């Protein structure tokens, strides 16, 4: 049983990958329309491969899967599992939800004072919800989500399909 939740990339990763995909697509289209097809075929094939790869990464989603009583955190692409990681739920009794901020800042010039004055603030933060398994002396992260309705779905899915309590 699968539960596909939300995009596996955060906002800035998604934005940067869209820009990178657009740039590589424009280079490919420019090469196809301006030079002979056979002269740079290797570069064109590499650009086609990169565009397919970037588009695939853009559409990946994270989610949960229960298989034979085991809980897995998975990365999905159009419903197909690309990666799954087993979580050992037998060592834990309950799950916990932690609310926080997921913040990304691409300001790199803090070390160089001259550049720090004119660099724009590129900080982007969203509310995040981290679902963790807890025991008396240990805690393990299950999944981090940004949408509260998807968090409720994930918690209900975990409680219904495992021995963990909320």
């Amino acid at each position: 049983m699968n539960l596909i939740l939300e995009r596996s990339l955060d906002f800035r990763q998604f934005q940067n990958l869209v820009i990178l995909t657009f740039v590589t697509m424009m280079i490919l289209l420019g090469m196809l329309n301006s030079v002979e097809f056979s002269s740079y075929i290797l570069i064109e094939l590499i650009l086609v491969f990169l565009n397919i790869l970037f588009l695939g990464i853009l559409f990946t989603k994270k989610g949960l899967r229960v298989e034979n009583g085991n809980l897995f955190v998975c990365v999905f692409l159009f419903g197909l599992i690309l990666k799954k990681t087993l979580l050992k739920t037998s060592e834990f009794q309950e799950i916990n939800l932690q609310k926080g901020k997921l913040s990304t800042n691409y300001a790199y010039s803090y070390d160089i004072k001259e550049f720090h004055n004119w660099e724009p603030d590129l900080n982007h933060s969203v509310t995040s919800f981290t679902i963790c398994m807890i025991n008396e002396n240990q805690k393990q992260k299950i999944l981090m989500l940004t949408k509260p309705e998807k968090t409720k779905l994930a918690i209900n899915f975990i409680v219904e399909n495992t021995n963990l309590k909320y």
Side-chain angles (χ1 to χ4, degrees):
M1 178 181 291
N2 295 336
L3 177 65
I4 301 172
L5 294 167
E6 64 184 35
R7 187 172 61 210
S8 63
L9 302 174
D10 67 16
F11 175 75
R12 289 290 183 188
Q13 291 171 334
F14 186 79
Q15 181 183 27
N16 290 340
L17 198 55
V18 166
I19 293 167
L20 186 60
T21 305
F22 177 76
V23 168
T24 55
M25 184 66 75
M26 289 298 111
I27 292 171
L28 176 65
L29 291 175
M31 286 183 74
L32 289 174
N33 290 324
S34 67
V35 297
E36 284 186 33
F37 183 73
S38 62
S39 61
Y40 295 102
I41 187 123
L42 182 62
I43 296 172
E44 291 167 352
L45 289 176
I46 290 171
L47 287 172
V48 167
F49 173 74
L50 286 175
N51 278 308
I52 292 170
L53 179 69
F54 294 157
L55 287 172
I57 293 171
L58 282 173
F59 290 109
T60 57
K61 294 188 177 236
K62 57 186 164 186
L64 299 168
R65 177 179 175 85
V66 171
E67 185 178 290
N68 298 329
N70 295 322
L71 182 65
F72 295 92
V73 175
C74 299
V75 176
F76 295 94
L77 179 62
F78 301 121
L80 300 171
I81 297 174
L82 296 179
K83 177 186 170 192
K84 67 180 181 179
T85 306
L86 175 65
L87 296 173
K88 296 183 180 181
T89 59
S90 60
E91 302 170 1
F92 300 93
Q93 284 89 28
E94 51 186 62
I95 58 175
N96 185 11
L97 181 65
Q98 297 175 345
K99 185 177 178 181
K101 286 278 186 192
L102 181 62
S103 179
T104 307
N105 192 356
Y106 288 103
Y108 297 115
S109 67
Y110 287 118
D111 297 334
I112 306 170
K113 189 167 182 85
E114 291 80 21
F115 292 137
H116 180 66
N117 294 333
W118 59 268
E119 186 174 39
D121 184 18
L122 301 173
N123 189 24
H124 177 78
S125 62
V126 293
T127 304
S128 67
F129 304 95
T130 305
I131 303 170
C132 300
M133 296 183 293
I134 57 174
N135 204 350
E136 298 97 32
N137 55 0
Q138 62 185 0
K139 177 169 71 169
Q140 183 180 354
K141 176 182 153 186
I142 297 175
L143 199 58
M144 181 184 291
L145 301 168
T146 57
K147 298 177 183 169
E149 61 273 3
K150 298 292 184 175
T151 305
K152 289 177 186 175
L153 283 173
I155 289 172
N156 290 339
F157 183 81
I158 293 169
V159 168
E160 289 173 5
N161 294 304
T162 63
N163 59 348
L164 299 171
K165 307 288 184 247
Y166 181 62

